């Protein structure tokens, strides 16, 4: 049997392969364990707070900011303890699930959009209309009486 000849491979490439292999082994994250921990420790306390909050206030950032921040910090702390990177795919999937369950009916701004009061709405409609009519009348008037001016 022949032996493997690696003499044609540059030494610095071999060094990088060896170092990268050990780095990957040291920094791997147990995604299943991480997912279980954030469900048990982080989600359960978040769910307790959200269940205590009336559902009509779930979209009010002032009411949910604290519990959402605690949830985020909890996922970060568990990631640090398990030597996982944060954010990662497990965290992304976790927060997508949170948003689908609790914040799916919330507008992007955090408040439901609504029309302005009628007096403001009428002003925004009437002022441009009046300016358009006034400018049209001014142009017509100037074009009629401008013939005598050289």
């Amino acid at each position: 049997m022949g032996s493997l000849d690696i003499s044609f491979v540059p030494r610095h490439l071999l060094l990088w392969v060896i170092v990268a292999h050990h780095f990957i082994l040291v920094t791997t994250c147990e995604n299943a364990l991480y997912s279980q921990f954030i469900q048990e420790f982080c989600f359960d306390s978040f769910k307790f707070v959200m269940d205590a909050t009336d559902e009509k206030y779930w979209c009010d950032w002032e009411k949910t900011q604290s519990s959402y921040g605690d949830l985020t910090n909890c996922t970060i702390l568990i990631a640090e303890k398990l030597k996982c990177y944060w954010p990662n795919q497990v965290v992304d999937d976790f927060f997508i699930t949170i948003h689908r369950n609790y914040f799916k009916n919330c507008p992007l701004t955090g408040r439901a959009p609504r029309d302005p009061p009628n007096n403001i709405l009428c002003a925004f409609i009437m002022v441009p209309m009046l300016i358009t009519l006034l400018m049209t009348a001014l142009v017509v008037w100037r074009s009629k009486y401008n013939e005598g001016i050289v």
Side-chain angles (χ1 to χ4, degrees):
M1 292 286 175
S3 64
L4 180 62
D5 183 23
I6 59 170
S7 61
F8 66 91
V9 179
R11 291 181 188 230
H12 69 280
L13 182 61
L14 287 175
L15 179 64
W16 278 110
V17 169
I18 292 169
V19 170
H21 174 71
H22 289 293
F23 182 71
I24 290 170
L25 289 178
V26 170
T27 60
T28 57
C29 174
E30 292 291 330
N31 286 337
L33 186 62
Y34 181 58
S35 180
Q36 178 185 353
F37 281 176
I38 62 175
Q39 285 292 327
E40 289 178 11
F41 297 114
C42 305
F43 177 69
D44 288 346
S45 66
F46 178 77
K47 184 178 183 315
F48 178 76
V49 171
M50 292 303 284
D51 288 345
T53 304
D54 193 7
E55 194 171 328
K56 67 182 179 183
Y57 295 117
W58 285 1
C59 293
D60 186 358
W61 183 240
E62 297 298 322
K63 304 270 191 233
T64 58
Q65 181 179 11
S66 175
S67 58
Y68 193 85
D70 292 343
L71 177 69
T72 304
N73 290 336
C74 180
T75 61
I76 293 170
L77 289 174
I78 291 175
E80 287 176 358
K81 292 294 182 190
L82 294 178
K83 303 212 181 333
C84 296
Y85 289 107
W86 193 96
N88 57 38
Q89 189 62 44
V90 174
V91 172
D92 290 344
D93 294 340
F94 176 71
F95 276 101
I96 287 171
T97 303
I98 293 289
H99 281 259
R100 282 185 184 149
N101 292 334
Y102 290 98
F103 307 113
K104 65 183 172 194
N105 296 325
C106 298
L108 294 177
T109 60
R111 289 179 264 168
R114 58 185 175 91
D115 288 335
N118 283 338
N119 57 351
I120 294 175
L121 188 61
C122 287
F124 277 117
I125 293 171
M126 295 303 292
V127 169
M129 285 176 51
L130 291 174
I131 290 174
T132 303
L133 290 174
L134 180 65
M135 293 305 292
T136 304
L138 183 63
V139 168
V140 168
W141 180 73
R142 288 293 293 168
S143 66
K144 282 184 178 180
Y145 297 105
N146 198 19
E147 295 170 359
I149 301 175
V150 178

